[in-house]
Amino acid sequence: MDAFSKPDLVANYAARTEKMVPGLSDLHKMAAVLLAERVPTDAHILVLGAGGGLEIKAFAQLHPDWHFDGVDPSEQMLVLARQTLGPFASRVNFHQSYIDSIEAESFDAATCFLTLHFLPEPERLKTLQALFRRLKPGAPLVVAHHSLPGSVSDKDLWLDRNAAFAKVSGLAMPSGGTRQSASRDLLPILSVAQDTALLRDAGFVDVDLFYAGFTFRGWVGYKPRT
C-alpha cells in the first residue's frame, strides 16, 4: 500500500488502471445500476478506497443527488481524487483514514473497489465486517478486486493473462517479462469461492457475482433488512 504515496504511481493511476482492469468504466456503471436498485434518490454512499476518485465520478455523473464519504489512507491519492472529481468534489466528504474512523449504520450503500486484494484474509474479513456495521438494514455493498477463478495454484497463469491484457491495451510492461511479479509475490489474492465465503461470513446475504475480467471479479451483497 505504500506504493500509493509514490508520485509517479499517483500521477499515472487513472491511465494505468483503465488499461489493467477490463471494462473498468462499465464496471462502474454496473455498480451504479446495482446501487440504484436499493438506495433513495438522495443516497449517502460510503466509498472505501476512494483515492483516485474514478468510481465516485462515475456515480456522481449518473446520480446528481447522491452524496459520498470517501475513505483512503493515502493523502496523495485523495488529492488526486479531488482533481479527478472537479466540481463533483463538493458532494464528497473525504477522510484520510481507515474504515474504523467512520460512524456505524449511517450509509445507504457502500463500495470497495481494487482495495481488498491488498489485505490478508483475516484483515479482509474484519474490513467487510466493518463495512457491514456501517450500512443501514437492506443496504447493498458492491466490491471488486483480484480474485482467482480457479485454484490459487493457478495464480501465475492468470496474472500472466492480466499482464498480457494490459500490454495489448497499451500499458508499458517491465522488460523482465509480462508477469506482474509484485502482484504475484505480494498480493494475498484469494479464490472466487473464498471471496464469496468471506462476504457471507461478514453477514451479507444474497451475494452474487456480477462482473468478471481475467483475475478481476465484482460482487454485490446486502445487509439483511432485519
Side-chain angles (χ1 to χ4, degrees):
M1 296 292 282
D2 291 342
F4 291 101
S5 297
K6 295 181 178 179
D8 57 338
L9 188 147
V10 172
N12 297 315
Y13 176 78
R16 283 178 54 82
T17 304
E18 288 168 358
K19 292 175 181 176
M20 290 176 63
V21 182
L24 181 65
S25 63
D26 287 328
L27 168 61
H28 293 156
K29 286 183 278 191
M30 286 188 284
V33 167
L34 293 168
L35 297 177
E37 289 177 346
R38 294 287 189 104
V39 303
T41 56
D42 60 347
H44 187 191
I45 296 174
L46 173 62
V47 179
L48 182 61
L54 297 175
E55 65 267 44
I56 297 180
K57 184 176 182 180
F59 298 157
Q61 288 174 326
L62 291 168
H63 296 279
D65 294 320
W66 286 7
H67 289 78
F68 310 89
D69 273 45
V71 182
D72 199 290
S74 169
E75 179 182 4
Q76 293 88 341
M77 289 296 288
L78 289 178
V79 170
L80 177 61
R82 290 185 176 93
Q83 294 170 351
T84 299
L85 287 163
F88 297 123
S90 63
R91 290 159 55 190
V92 185
N93 294 319
F94 290 102
H95 306 265
Q96 185 191 343
S97 61
Y98 295 93
I99 186 66
D100 291 341
S101 68
I102 305 301
E103 293 184 6
E105 291 198 4
S106 57
F107 293 94
D108 297 301
T111 68
C112 186
F113 288 168
L114 309 181
T115 297
L116 291 175
H117 53 225
F118 291 107
L119 304 179
E121 189 171 355
E123 191 65 27
R124 199 177 303 196
L125 177 59
K126 289 180 182 177
T127 300
L128 289 169
Q129 290 168 332
L131 284 164
F132 183 90
R133 290 193 297 272
R134 282 151 181 83
L135 291 173
K136 297 176 181 177
L141 169 71
V142 178
V143 300
H145 50 267
H146 280 297
S147 188
L148 297 170
S151 168
V152 173
S153 64
D154 295 330
K155 184 177 183 180
D156 284 351
L157 171 63
W158 282 102
L159 289 177
D160 280 349
R161 289 168 171 168
N162 257 19
F165 173 83
K167 185 175 181 179
V168 299
S169 298
L171 185 64
M173 302 305 294
S175 58
T178 60
R179 180 168 296 156
Q180 296 174 317
S181 59
S183 296
R184 183 191 68 227
D185 298 333
L186 300 178
L187 293 184
I189 303 175
L190 304 179
S191 70
V192 168
Q194 290 172 309
D195 274 313
T196 304
L198 282 181
L199 283 160
R200 291 173 176 150
D201 289 345
F204 292 98
V205 298
D206 299 328
V207 175
D208 284 315
L209 186 74
F210 73 92
Y211 160 83
F214 285 129
T215 65
F216 293 99
R217 293 291 188 276
W219 293 261
V220 61
Y222 305 89
K223 184 170 183 174
R225 293 188 183 276
T226 57

